[in-house]
Amino acid sequence: MRETEKHLIVGLGNPGEKYKNTRHNVGFEAVDFFANQHSLIFRESMRFHGSLAQGCIQDKQVILLKPMTFMNISGESIKSCVEYFSIAQEKILVVCDDVTIALGKMRMRMKGSSGGHNGLKSVLSSLTTEEFARLRIGVDFPPLEEDLSDYVLGNFTKEQQKILEELLPFTALVLTEWVAKGIAPSMQLAHSYPDCKNR
């Protein structure tokens, strides 16, 4: 196979069983589902302080990364991976949760600020650029009486988990579209859900 540019897809989350099914770990869940679909196996990497999977998707070389440094310093893991594999900024996609988006929806952007997300803040700081794609998966805004930190570190309800399970296959489709065709078609696809979720 001819040499192709490497694509890096990063799922943001927190390591450990304590955080496994929390709202803040939607990035991990999305990347895990995507890896399963493409038969990619994660392995722990001391070099990158994370869990890494590699493979060929749509004739493109793809690297998946789940930083195991905790959310607030995710950028350190990503920076080391970007530098080691010489990944271009436009070939980086970060997947994370977003409390400003309704559960069952997602938003994709070519660049932008952190929007108050601590993981994205760390990535922006470490890469010193806003020029990377991000796929934000909605987890709903917390009730007024609930602390934001407690909410994102809390588990989904059974009803919410069902909605997420329906969304993950479509999220994987969006990630595959990004690898195959780039940001514009994948953005259009991401923003079309749930209208074309049976595609």
Side-chain angles (χ1 to χ4, degrees):
M1 186 183 73
R2 64 183 174 83
E3 183 67 21
T4 60
E5 284 191 285
K6 299 176 181 72
H7 292 66
L8 174 64
I9 299 175
V10 181
L12 296 186
N14 289 307
E17 285 297 315
K18 176 181 178 182
Y19 301 103
K20 188 173 181 180
N21 297 311
T22 61
R23 298 178 180 92
H24 227 13
N25 273 35
V26 163
F28 277 8
E29 288 198 53
V31 172
D32 280 337
F33 192 96
F34 179 73
N36 267 344
Q37 278 208 332
H38 294 281
S39 301
L40 303 183
I41 307 299
F42 278 101
R43 293 180 173 84
E44 295 303 311
S45 170
M46 296 295 291
R47 178 190 294 272
F48 306 121
H49 306 288
S51 192
L52 197 77
Q54 298 184 66
C56 183
I57 299 172
Q58 299 288 323
D59 199 33
K60 306 288 178 65
Q61 192 171 354
V62 178
I63 299 163
L64 307 181
L65 175 67
K66 295 187 295 181
M68 295 293 159
T69 53
F70 286 98
M71 184 70 79
N72 293 0
I73 52 174
S74 299
E76 296 177 9
S77 172
I78 299 168
K79 181 182 179 182
S80 64
C81 188
V82 167
E83 291 179 345
Y84 181 82
F85 289 107
S86 300
I87 299 169
Q89 291 173 358
E90 65 271 16
K91 301 298 182 182
I92 302 170
L93 172 61
V94 177
V95 186
C96 64
D97 62 290
D98 195 309
V99 296
T100 68
I101 300 172
L103 184 68
K105 295 279 190 179
M106 65 185 96
R107 290 290 177 267
M108 198 169 194
R109 295 184 65 186
M110 297 173 64
K111 59 182 180 179
S113 68
S114 69
H117 191 285
N118 287 332
L120 286 177
K121 283 181 184 177
S122 177
V123 180
L124 288 165
S125 175
S126 294
L127 298 184
T128 64
T129 181
E130 295 184 356
E131 302 285 334
F132 60 88
R134 66 285 313 269
L135 178 63
R136 299 175 295 141
I137 299 173
V139 296
D140 282 342
F141 196 77
L144 292 176
E145 68 275 9
E146 188 168 359
D147 179 75
L148 178 59
S149 179
D150 291 340
Y151 179 77
V152 295
L153 294 177
N155 294 327
F156 288 104
T157 65
K158 287 183 179 179
E159 293 78 11
Q160 289 176 327
Q161 189 65 40
K162 183 179 179 182
I163 294 171
L164 178 62
E165 288 170 1
E166 291 177 351
L167 178 68
L168 287 176
F170 195 84
T171 303
L173 187 63
V174 171
L175 296 179
T176 302
E177 187 87 345
W178 178 76
V179 171
K181 300 180 182 178
I183 186 68
S186 52
M187 280 177 64
Q188 184 176 7
L189 182 60
H191 299 167
S192 71
Y193 189 86
D195 297 328
C196 65
K197 66 180 181 180
N198 294 320
R199 170 174 166 171

